[in-house]
Amino acid sequence: MPTLILLRHGRSTANTSGVLAGWTPAVALDERGAAQAAALPQRLAGVPLAAAVTSPLQRCRETLAPLLAARPELPLHTDERIGECHYGDWSGRKLAELTGEPLWEVVQRHPSAAAFPGGETMRALQARAVDAVHEWNARMAAEHGENAVYLMCTHGDLIKAVVADALGLHLDHFQRITADPCSLTAVRYTRLRPYLLRLGDTGDLTGLVPREDAAGAGGSPDAAVGGGAGAP
């Protein structure tokens, strides 16, 4: 079965402003995010990609733009199933406000029971994402062969949910996984089991420096809902 490279979009204006974007329109890459996207063609220069699949959201399309410019022959597909979590009434709100909501602790400790008001459940997010991955795996294998490699540009919580499934982890453990902006995570699927080849690879170790203000990275013990802004 094919190898899937999961790419989180570059750092966005919502990431740097501490806002949970969700499906809010017109959320673009910030200056650093644009630079991260510009570096993608070189980072992936040695990888023979069969296709790219993207979330329909602007920040993902902007992230892929330099890669597509460098590889005009690369087929691009859009799939709403790999779009951001539908956070409902939480969308557009400051993360600092959301930490005071009773649901916040459920999202952190028991995400399989989390249902966002006016949005979707974390279980639904994982189900649609994993279904999409398996369907694209089958399509890539049929069209490009069992050794095909393809790219999926998507969002932090979705990547974590797919990785948890690949590792056989219960969804309640997915907050133990991180995916920084423009990080690459690779999973090779086989008939009997997936293999995690890379996790959150940015080629940059500055994200390992402890930060007092970083959720799940040396400051607050909480995971960064939506994915976080990555290294400063």
Side-chain angles (χ1 to χ4, degrees):
M1 295 291 287
T3 296
L4 167 62
I5 299 176
L6 291 159
L7 165 66
R8 186 181 168 203
H9 61 78
R11 198 174 74 175
S12 72
T13 53
N15 294 145
T16 45
S17 60
V19 169
L20 189 62
W23 284 71
T24 304
V27 175
L29 300 184
D30 68 5
E31 185 175 351
R32 181 187 177 103
Q36 291 170 331
L40 273 176
Q42 182 58 40
R43 292 174 64 195
L44 291 166
V47 182
L49 296 174
V53 185
T54 185
S55 156
L57 294 173
Q58 178 178 334
R59 53 197 183 272
C60 287
R61 291 188 170 277
E62 289 182 354
T63 299
L64 281 180
L67 180 65
L68 295 172
R71 301 194 194 190
E73 77 289 351
L74 185 66
L76 176 65
H77 309 275
T78 300
D79 192 332
E80 289 203 358
R81 294 174 299 174
I82 64 166
E84 180 64 282
C85 182
H86 292 278
Y87 294 114
D89 297 344
W90 276 30
S91 299
R93 292 182 60 188
K94 289 278 190 181
L95 289 166
E97 296 175 6
L98 295 172
T99 58
E101 297 279 354
L103 179 60
W104 181 269
E105 187 174 15
V106 179
V107 172
Q108 293 295 321
R109 300 180 184 276
H110 190 19
S112 65
F116 294 99
E120 69 181 331
T121 65
M122 296 303 298
R123 295 189 314 280
L125 167 71
Q126 185 180 48
R128 64 174 164 88
V130 171
D131 283 350
V133 165
H134 285 296
E135 287 182 25
W136 279 107
N137 283 348
R139 177 172 173 176
M140 290 296 109
E143 295 180 0
H144 302 282
E146 295 290 331
N147 294 320
V149 181
Y150 73 106
L151 182 74
M152 207 174 251
C153 188
T154 181
H155 306 268
D157 279 350
L158 190 141
I159 291 172
K160 291 159 58 176
V162 169
V163 170
D165 173 78
L167 293 176
L169 296 176
H170 194 282
L171 183 60
D172 285 344
H173 298 314
F174 100 124
Q175 296 290 27
R176 303 180 184 192
I177 301 164
T178 61
D180 279 349
C182 231
S183 63
L184 297 170
T185 293
V187 183
R188 177 174 295 140
Y189 287 86
T190 73
R191 186 173 66 86
L192 297 179
R193 66 178 65 85
Y195 293 90
L196 182 63
L197 307 179
R198 296 285 189 279
L199 177 61
D201 187 347
T202 62
D204 178 2
L205 297 182
T206 57
L208 301 180
V209 178
R211 289 175 284 144
E212 291 301 321
D213 62 342
S220 166
D222 289 344
V225 177

